[in-house]
Amino acid sequence: MKLSLVASGLAFLSACTTAVLGTPTPSRTSHYLKRQTPAGFVASEGKNFVLNGAPFKFAGANAYWMFLLNEDSDVVEQFAEYQAAGVKVVRIWGFREAVGSAPAVGNFTQLWQNGVATCSPDGLARFKVILDAADAAGIKVIMALTNNWSVTFPDDPTKPPGYYSNSYGGIDTYVQQIKGGGDHDAFYTDETIQAAYQKYLTCLVPTFKDHAAVFSWELANDPRCQGAVGTTTSSSCNTATITKWVNTNSAFVKTLDPNHMVNSGDGGFQCTQSSCPKINRVNPPAPATSLAPGEKKRKRRWLTSADVLKRARESEKAARGAIDDAVKKMRIRGGWAAPATLNTKRSLNARAGSVGSAYDGSHGVDSSDICDSHTIDYCSIQIFPDQNSYAVNSVSTGRKRAASDSSGTTPETIADAVNFVLNQASDSSKPTAVLAAGVTNTDESNNLNNFDSNNIGTSSGQNVASSTQQQQAVSSIGSTASSVNAMLPWQQGSTKHSAKAGSIVNSSTKKRWDTPTGLTPNDGYAFYPGDPIFNIWVGIFKKFFN
């Protein structure tokens, strides 16, 4: 009798709910669990992003400095410029650490005192300004929650606050403030540090769980075992360390916000089957309930060394056939020093051995395994051929190649980067986004901020292209947009913002990044409306994303 009453009650409740709300719409399938995706929110389904029931492929931009724009009007103007360029998603830093006391200029997200961080309500209010402006412009925002490449506080006082992409705090700030120093990778395993990180997530993420302008929460920018110059790494850190950290914290974010996607922010480095233990592919993620139109179901398997080597040979062979005499004569100083002619024997013969650091787990990252996490919604890639080597073995072109080795050529270096993107996109079972892509040039060498330090100017291992070579590289990397779901160049700035003393938009006339015309920070990769690189990227956006 009791069971019948309960059943009747449930039936009545169901009928009332249907009468009020109507028949529920089919649920979008997350890679984590089935849930209703609210209208205006982006989800991942199969190998596509989906927005309001339609595939969503997009061009994007990076603006790590967005949080430090002091004037609301500058924020609105910035999103208007992005909208005009065809940008649909902008990636920003969702953090700015302060240590000891609040900074004299600009907002901050949390204040560290005596090893304890306190979340800032003013920082949350600033993010609301940004997200509201993005929403008004029809743009989504990726919020990176910390950074692998943080540097020791305080910042260089001769530079505007927040000038460097890696001067906002991040992973090493947690290690310094909680442990008093130590190995960079303690961030991923120390329970006290992880509790502090999750405390910040608990402050930020639920605040905006219902905001439609959030595209996804990014666990960290480019998480690796290794940190910035001057930090140390333990011998125990490996790909399993980073993957387990991603699994734990992506699941944690899902408990705080079931509405938005989560991505790892990793650089896309892979690890072949024989080189690294697999964490997530032991129990593959549940497949999507439906495939995108034209998408074929395929059996998953691990990337092998043979796969990498075969693809490298094929791509180089194609690249050589497309390179004309003018490109063959390109020379780049530093790590890209090229001979007068293309060394055709080197490519196919010298690459018969190792797969190289982009594929052997050297960075402590196995992006394919990370992407297979049940609580990661899409795969990420970052491309900086002037700072990382994507070559298939050690004698190929790449950063810090031995000075005596002049066998690498500019076209081969570009081909390495292109092949790296295509490998990741091909092997993923989810959408793939190039979260950052950039190439610097000789004209910007005085502004250059290496990703792993706070040194300005080129280092002995830094690759620097001429403007012509930079444009060639960007065009080639941009062509991979046909194979990925999103492309976000690093980094599109503005020349129109309010110049105020002490702001990231400064009023003095010392350097390009510090001019009265209102330029946003230039870390050596910035491009502005009207620049040749800007025009190339806009052309790529129009070709592949509009």
Side-chain angles (χ1 to χ4, degrees):
M1 182 66 176
K2 290 182 179 179
L3 290 175
S4 297
L5 288 173
V6 170
S8 299
L10 291 173
F12 175 76
L13 179 61
S14 175
C16 290
T17 302
T18 302
V20 174
L21 300 178
T23 304
T25 57
S27 63
R28 291 286 168 204
T29 302
S30 151
H31 292 282
Y32 176 47
L33 46 79
K34 271 190 177 183
R35 61 176 175 82
Q36 289 293 122
T37 301
F41 287 55
V42 183
S44 63
E45 187 171 300
K47 294 193 71 169
N48 291 307
F49 293 119
V50 176
L51 175 60
N52 295 330
F56 182 56
K57 185 173 179 177
F58 61 87
N62 278 275
Y64 62 84
W65 35 261
M66 180 75 76
F67 180 76
L68 289 187
L69 288 178
N70 292 337
E71 302 295 322
D72 292 0
S73 58
D74 286 343
V75 176
V76 173
E77 171 63 29
Q78 188 64 61
F79 280 111
E81 289 188 23
Y82 286 143
Q83 184 185 51
V87 167
K88 299 296 177 62
V89 176
V90 175
R91 180 170 174 256
I92 70 172
W93 278 189
F95 60 94
R96 189 212 180 182
E97 319 275 359
V99 175
S101 60
V105 177
N107 293 292
F108 61 93
T109 57
Q110 56 180 356
L111 174 63
W112 288 93
Q113 293 177 314
N114 301 317
V116 177
T118 303
C119 190
S120 167
D122 290 340
L124 296 179
R126 198 70 202 148
F127 282 130
K128 187 176 187 308
V129 169
I130 292 170
L131 292 173
D132 286 350
D135 200 36
I139 291 174
K140 306 294 184 184
V141 178
I142 298 172
M143 301 270 279
L145 300 169
T146 192
N147 186 14
N148 191 75
W149 307 113
S150 54
V151 294
T152 304
F153 282 88
D155 289 345
D156 184 341
T158 67
K159 306 296 188 296
Y163 164 65
Y164 303 126
S165 60
N166 56 3
S167 70
Y168 287 61
I171 284 177
D172 291 303
T173 306
Y174 285 90
V175 176
Q176 292 160 8
Q177 295 302 308
I178 293 176
K179 307 296 289 186
D183 292 331
H184 170 80
D185 55 291
F187 175 82
Y188 304 111
T189 57
D190 185 270
E191 292 183 0
T192 305
I193 293 175
Q194 280 306 289
Y197 172 69
Q198 292 187 352
K199 177 184 175 183
Y200 177 59
L201 303 190
T202 303
C203 171
L204 176 64
V205 173
T207 304
F208 301 107
K209 67 183 179 66
D210 297 317
H211 205 301
V214 174
F215 179 84
S216 68
W217 300 106
E218 181 176 304
L219 298 181
N221 171 54
D222 200 14
R224 305 188 195 186
C225 284
Q226 301 82 14
V229 171
T231 63
T232 59
T233 304
S234 74
S235 59
S236 60
C237 189
N238 55 31
T239 58
T241 305
I242 307 296
T243 301
K244 289 177 181 177
W245 175 81
V246 168
N247 288 350
T248 297
N249 286 287
S250 57
F252 181 73
V253 172
K254 292 286 187 182
T255 67
L256 301 176
D257 177 3
N259 295 326
H260 292 107
M261 297 184 293
V262 179
N263 66 293
S264 66
D266 72 86
F269 299 109
Q270 300 194 47
C271 196
T272 58
Q273 179 180 3
S274 59
S275 302
C276 299
K278 304 298 174 182
I279 304 298
N280 293 320
R281 288 204 187 180
V282 174
N283 297 300
T289 56
S290 61
L291 298 173
E295 183 177 356
K296 295 181 180 180
K297 187 174 182 180
R298 63 192 182 94
K299 185 177 180 181
R300 300 300 314 284
R301 69 181 183 86
W302 287 286
L303 182 72
T304 67
S305 298
D307 294 332
V308 174
L309 293 168
K310 179 181 178 182
R311 291 172 186 174
R313 293 187 182 98
E314 290 173 348
S315 67
E316 285 195 352
K317 194 172 182 179
R320 283 200 305 275
I323 296 169
D324 60 23
D325 291 338
V327 177
K328 290 179 183 179
K329 295 176 182 178
M330 284 183 178
R331 290 178 178 272
I332 300 181
R333 66 185 177 89
W336 278 6
T341 57
L342 184 64
N343 187 330
T344 56
K345 288 186 177 181
R346 182 200 69 84
S347 301
L348 296 182
N349 295 334
R351 293 195 176 199
S354 66
V355 292
S357 62
Y359 301 96
D360 66 3
S362 295
H363 299 291
V365 176
D366 186 349
S367 187
S368 294
D369 201 27
I370 287 173
C371 195
D372 277 337
S373 172
H374 291 219
T375 44
I376 288 295
D377 291 287
Y378 62 93
C379 308
S380 62
I381 306 173
Q382 298 193 34
I383 277 291
F384 292 93
D386 47 11
Q387 296 210 37
N388 292 302
S389 172
Y390 304 105
V392 176
N393 71 1
S394 58
V395 302
S396 182
T397 309
R399 188 175 187 228
K400 295 183 179 178
R401 180 170 48 80
S404 59
D405 176 14
S406 61
S407 59
T409 67
T410 304
E412 287 170 332
T413 299
I414 298 171
D416 288 335
V418 168
N419 196 47
F420 177 77
V421 175
L422 298 179
N423 273 328
Q424 177 66 298
S426 172
D427 290 319
S428 68
S429 60
K430 300 176 184 177
T432 301
V434 178
L435 294 177
V439 179
T440 190
N441 65 43
T442 51
D443 295 334
E444 301 297 341
S445 60
N446 289 331
N447 293 322
L448 183 66
N449 176 212
N450 294 322
F451 75 103
D452 59 356
S453 75
N454 62 348
N455 297 321
I456 289 293
T458 56
S459 66
S460 59
Q462 182 69 44
N463 304 316
V464 182
S466 69
S467 294
T468 301
Q469 292 160 340
Q470 179 193 38
Q471 293 170 33
Q472 171 72 18
V474 167
S475 296
S476 297
I477 292 169
S479 70
T480 64
S482 62
S483 301
V484 298
N485 304 85
M487 180 76 69
L488 289 76
W490 186 279
Q491 44 100 1
Q492 180 183 331
S494 174
T495 63
K496 297 181 179 180
H497 294 324
S498 307
K500 287 192 174 182
S503 170
I504 59 167
V505 183
N506 204 279
S507 59
S508 74
T509 56
K510 293 179 182 178
K511 291 181 181 293
R512 187 181 181 192
W513 50 261
D514 197 18
T515 70
T517 55
L519 269 71
T520 51
N522 180 4
D523 57 0
Y525 291 94
F527 55 91
Y528 302 90
D531 286 352
I533 293 299
F534 173 87
N535 294 333
I536 290 173
W537 278 119
V538 170
I540 291 167
F541 294 169
K542 289 180 178 179
K543 180 177 181 180
F544 295 106
F545 298 108
N546 289 337

